[in-house]
Amino acid sequence: MSLNTPPAAYTPPLGRVTITDVARIAGVSVSTVSKVVNGRDGIAAATAEHVLGVVNDLGYETSIVASSLRRSHTGVIGVLVADFEPYSTELLKGISNAAEGTGYELLAYAGGNDGKRTDWERRSLSRLGGTLIDGAVVVAPTASMASGTGIPVVAIDPHSGAESVPTVDGDNVGGARAATELLVGLGHRRIAYLGGRDGLESSRLRHAGYLQALEAAGIPADAKLDRVGGYRADLSDAPAHELLRLPTGERPTAVFAANDLSALHVMEVARELGLRIPQDLSVVGFDDIPESTRSTPPLTTVTQPLQQMGAEALRILLALLAGSPVEEQHRRLPASLTVRESVARPGGEPL
Amino acid sequence: MSLNTPPAAYTPPLGRVTITDVARIAGVSVSTVSKVVNGRDGIAAATAEHVLGVVNDLGYETSIVASSLRRSHTGVIGVLVADFEPYSTELLKGISNAAEGTGYELLAYAGGNDGKRTDWERRSLSRLGGTLIDGAVVVAPTASMASGTGIPVVAIDPHSGAESVPTVDGDNVGGARAATELLVGLGHRRIAYLGGRDGLESSRLRHAGYLQALEAAGIPADAKLDRVGGYRADLSDAPAHELLRLPTGERPTAVFAANDLSALHVMEVARELGLRIPQDLSVVGFDDIPESTRSTPPLTTVTQPLQQMGAEALRILLALLAGSPVEEQHRRLPASLTVRESVARPGGEPL
DNA sequence: CTGTTAGCGCATTCAG
DNA sequence: CTGAATGCGCTAACAG
């Protein structure tokens, strides 16, 4: 069959197989291959079959890059994070589960790990949007993403300030208050707070919950015990050392850290300084990442339904992509306290 | 200044800001903007400054898609996974840490969650490679990726059979043998095996380790106790039920599952069937994902240095990208047994 | 120093 | 039913 005979000028594809390679080997035009691959009709059955055979032989796949440049949609949803750490990967698991069976593929992009850049979310969105991805879930953006692109966006754990995109978060105030109340109830009075990243609404709200609980208990807020850990282990190192090196009598008997990552680091610093947990220091975190059960002792923390939050964000994004109006702009999921062995009464008596 | 006056035909950018928008508003040509943005020299300082001003005002970022189509490299490394689950996200954390400061950004792509497709790795590689990403780390590919593209590739937990790409894995045989020996040492004789995904070398090797340990102990292998769970909770459900519903006397007193995900599911099924762990059934997993400490009781498992494996894969890939010869084609990291509360002697006596 | 031209791989008109 | 032409946003030659 002459169709199967490669033309004289045939060059075996060395690197990536392109649509041109397929066309040349199949002996048809590029546009015919495109139509066959995309299932457009108006192609003779015999031609289609033959082309598909070549496609299969060569292992051709349309380049998402080239096609997205030309097309308006790609069937790919982006998940934009600063970094792949326990919090964002937990959301990712939830998003991934929820994406199953929707026909969309997932592309997670970490564009913030170069350090100094603060507007990674707008930057990433701009770099990928409009072409590569049809929509995006942005995790913990610290800046507005307005004017970034025209694609639909949903934010998880949004930044402070007005934002026009739908958001998903947990009950930050309630969770923080519950965590602080637990410590107060145990008899702690010097309860330090290791805050989150500036610019994030969750950071502001957890701080507010902490202060509310102190006030309700009649405990005056002490600026010396109120630090910022930036939600990260490295940024928590200095403030944790400062807090735990305060002279006895001033040193906190408990630390409520704004997320688990910084709480776990507080525990490390405590161990380093010879403080026993929970006898000498109680520690509470926020998020309940899987790692929170791996420490010794396991960490008491505020449980957020992270995977569910991710799934919810994807659900909203899919609705947006389908053109359905979004019923609620802010979806808040409940948080609950999970008590493990990192807390005790000030003296060290167990619960 | 006339340069700042938009030309008559000015249209405000609605969706994404393109290089053309910037050029038009800055009153220069597209190529001039390109040169400025990419820091090429041969541009008057004043022009550069002016263009950068417009770029900033408009929040322009070069589209990774368009530029990658033209350029040979993108500064982005792809991590290709079937799915975002605890195993792959743990690797992702390690890769992400190792990528910090290298100048590369990370793009994780889940192309296998559409179900029936088995050759997701070649497909994803073909869709992204050659253009979007400079190199790729492929997690648990079950098929060869040869001829997919021309970019360098490193595989973690590779498929069975000859593969030309460098690979990283853990000590599967040794780990599986240690796990089985633990159970044998406790006095178990009916030790079931819940195998991994066919096509993966790790699956084959863990099975081999299990059989080796049985043979060394003089315990005949029993086909009825040797099942396949596909490394996934859903695929483990039926075989787990079958194993645990065997009549007393035939029912295994211990299950060694090929990964933690299936081991955790075995524990769920056991609970559902009213079997107590570890009194009625001992369970051991493989991987030591963070979730393995969250179960009650915590799971005994074979610890693989997952994050380190990810970091190692990235290190090799970077060497490949830099053109350095790779010293070893197969990098195997040690595995060790981590005993938690999910195992006991057959009778149920604690350790 | 700056603008013009030519494609990267592909999908989409519009003619044959 | 199929092929040739056009352009997506961008960069790299090459002119001016």
Side-chain angles (χ1 to χ4, degrees):
Chain A
M1 199 158 142
S2 78
L3 272 180
N4 279 324
T5 313
Y10 166 68
T11 17
L14 291 168
R16 219 190 141 270
V17 178
T18 76
I19 199 173
T20 313
D21 297 320
V22 176
R24 199 168 36 196
I25 294 178
V28 297
S29 81
V30 169
S31 66
T32 299
V33 177
S34 173
K35 282 172 197 157
V36 170
V37 168
N38 292 294
R40 299 270 177 285
D41 44 29
I43 295 287
T47 311
E49 195 180 348
H50 173 239
V51 169
L52 284 178
V54 175
V55 163
N56 244 313
D57 286 355
L58 264 49
Y60 167 76
E61 290 289 342
T62 88
S63 160
I64 203 179
V65 172
S67 88
S68 75
L69 200 55
R70 198 75 186 74
R71 271 192 153 151
S72 50
H73 66 273
T74 57
V76 178
I77 285 175
V79 181
L80 274 40
V81 303
D83 207 354
F84 292 112
E85 29 69 43
Y87 176 80
S88 57
T89 51
E90 211 55 24
L91 294 171
L92 204 48
K93 291 175 197 169
I95 297 173
S96 183
N97 278 340
E100 207 139 338
T102 63
Y104 279 101
E105 290 182 341
L106 241 43
L107 161 17
Y109 191 71
N113 58 3
D114 48 350
K116 48 237 87 189
R117 296 293 300 247
T118 58
D119 58 340
W120 60 268
E121 47 286 305
R122 198 188 46 67
R123 182 164 178 273
S124 297
L125 207 49
S126 195
R127 273 169 77 78
L128 305 183
T131 33
L132 228 206
I133 55 181
D134 293 349
V137 174
V138 184
V139 177
T142 49
S144 168
M145 297 150 299
S147 88
T149 170
I151 63 174
V153 169
V154 175
I156 298 180
D157 190 4
H159 67 98
S160 318
E163 177 63 84
S164 50
V165 308
T167 59
V168 174
D169 66 2
D171 182 4
N172 290 301
V173 174
R177 204 166 39 201
T180 312
E181 281 166 358
L182 167 72
L183 294 169
V184 168
L186 288 172
H188 291 275
R189 303 281 298 178
R190 287 195 309 283
I191 303 171
Y193 179 70
L194 190 57
R197 184 147 44 111
D198 269 3
L200 287 180
E201 186 69 351
S202 62
S203 185
R204 197 179 67 76
L205 295 174
R206 290 173 196 181
H207 190 234
Y210 161 73
L211 292 180
Q212 278 178 25
L214 286 190
E215 185 173 1
I219 301 175
D222 181 348
K224 274 202 311 296
L225 299 183
D226 198 337
R227 305 304 184 96
V228 172
Y231 281 154
R232 287 169 42 166
D234 53 354
L235 299 179
S236 298
D237 196 60
H241 274 95
E242 288 163 18
L243 282 171
L244 301 188
R245 274 181 177 147
L246 286 172
T248 322
E250 286 182 48
R251 176 156 54 73
T253 60
V255 176
F256 170 39
N259 75 343
D260 286 351
L261 238 34
S262 45
L264 291 171
H265 192 71
V266 166
M267 289 180 58
E268 272 186 43
V269 171
R271 180 182 340 276
E272 183 192 316
L273 296 181
L275 296 173
R276 296 163 305 163
I277 292 175
Q279 296 90 332
D280 303 324
L281 183 75
S282 289
V283 178
V284 180
F286 203 114
D287 282 346
D288 197 12
I289 56 176
E291 281 80 356
S292 62
T293 53
R294 292 189 84 97
S295 56
T296 39
L299 182 65
T300 294
T301 189
V302 178
T303 300
Q304 293 199 95
L306 295 178
Q307 297 201 19
Q308 200 184 322
M309 285 166 63
E312 189 63 17
L314 185 75
R315 203 186 57 70
I316 296 175
L317 185 60
L318 290 176
L320 246 33
L321 286 169
S324 331
V326 170
E327 60 285 4
E328 34 184 358
Q329 282 290 304
H330 304 290
R331 182 98 168 88
R332 175 153 296 164
L333 274 68
S336 63
L337 199 59
T338 297
V339 180
R340 301 201 183 95
E341 287 79 63
S342 67
V343 294
R345 298 182 199 288
E349 309 157 47
L351 302 195
Chain B
M1 195 160 148
S2 78
L3 272 181
N4 279 324
T5 312
Y10 166 68
T11 15
L14 293 169
R16 215 185 146 272
V17 178
T18 76
I19 199 173
T20 313
D21 298 321
V22 176
R24 200 167 34 193
I25 294 178
V28 297
S29 80
V30 168
S31 68
T32 300
V33 177
S34 173
K35 282 173 197 157
V36 170
V37 168
N38 293 298
R40 300 271 178 283
D41 43 30
I43 296 287
T47 310
E49 197 180 346
H50 173 239
V51 169
L52 284 178
V54 175
V55 163
N56 244 310
D57 287 356
L58 265 50
Y60 167 76
E61 289 290 342
T62 89
S63 160
I64 216 181
V65 173
S67 88
S68 75
L69 197 57
R70 198 71 185 73
R71 267 191 158 150
S72 50
H73 66 274
T74 58
V76 178
I77 286 175
V79 181
L80 273 42
V81 303
D83 207 353
F84 292 112
E85 29 69 44
Y87 177 80
S88 57
T89 52
E90 211 56 24
L91 294 171
L92 203 48
K93 290 175 196 169
I95 297 172
S96 183
N97 278 340
E100 206 140 337
T102 62
Y104 280 100
E105 290 181 341
L106 240 44
L107 161 13
Y109 191 71
N113 59 4
D114 48 349
K116 48 237 83 178
R117 296 292 301 244
T118 59
D119 58 339
W120 60 269
E121 47 285 305
R122 199 188 45 68
R123 181 164 179 276
S124 296
L125 207 49
S126 195
R127 272 170 78 77
L128 305 184
T131 34
L132 229 206
I133 55 180
D134 293 350
V137 175
V138 184
V139 177
T142 47
S144 167
M145 297 151 300
S147 88
T149 169
I151 63 173
V153 168
V154 175
I156 298 180
D157 189 5
H159 67 100
S160 319
E163 176 64 85
S164 50
V165 308
T167 60
V168 175
D169 66 2
D171 181 4
N172 289 302
V173 175
R177 204 166 39 203
T180 312
E181 280 166 359
L182 168 72
L183 294 169
V184 168
L186 288 172
H188 292 275
R189 303 281 298 178
R190 288 195 307 282
I191 303 171
Y193 179 69
L194 189 57
R197 182 147 48 109
D198 268 3
L200 287 180
E201 186 69 350
S202 62
S203 185
R204 197 179 67 76
L205 295 174
R206 290 174 195 180
H207 190 235
Y210 161 75
L211 292 179
Q212 278 178 27
L214 285 190
E215 184 172 4
I219 302 176
D222 181 349
K224 272 201 312 298
L225 299 183
D226 199 336
R227 305 303 184 98
V228 173
Y231 280 154
R232 288 170 40 165
D234 53 353
L235 298 180
S236 298
D237 195 61
H241 273 96
E242 289 162 17
L243 283 172
L244 301 189
R245 275 183 176 146
L246 286 172
T248 321
E250 288 182 45
R251 176 154 55 73
T253 61
V255 176
F256 170 39
N259 76 343
D260 286 352
L261 238 35
S262 44
L264 292 172
H265 191 72
V266 166
M267 289 180 58
E268 273 186 44
V269 171
R271 181 182 338 277
E272 183 193 316
L273 296 180
L275 296 172
R276 296 163 306 164
I277 293 174
Q279 295 89 334
D280 303 324
L281 183 75
S282 289
V283 178
V284 180
F286 204 113
D287 282 346
D288 198 12
I289 56 177
E291 281 79 356
S292 61
T293 53
R294 294 190 82 98
S295 56
T296 39
L299 182 66
T300 293
T301 189
V302 178
T303 300
Q304 293 198 94
L306 295 177
Q307 298 201 21
Q308 200 183 322
M309 285 165 64
E312 190 62 19
L314 186 74
R315 201 187 58 70
I316 296 175
L317 185 62
L318 290 176
L320 246 34
L321 285 169
S324 330
V326 170
E327 61 284 3
E328 35 183 357
Q329 281 288 306
H330 305 287
R331 182 96 170 87
R332 174 153 297 166
L333 274 66
S336 62
L337 199 58
T338 298
V339 180
R340 301 201 182 95
E341 286 81 63
S342 67
V343 294
R345 298 181 199 288
E349 310 158 46
L351 303 194

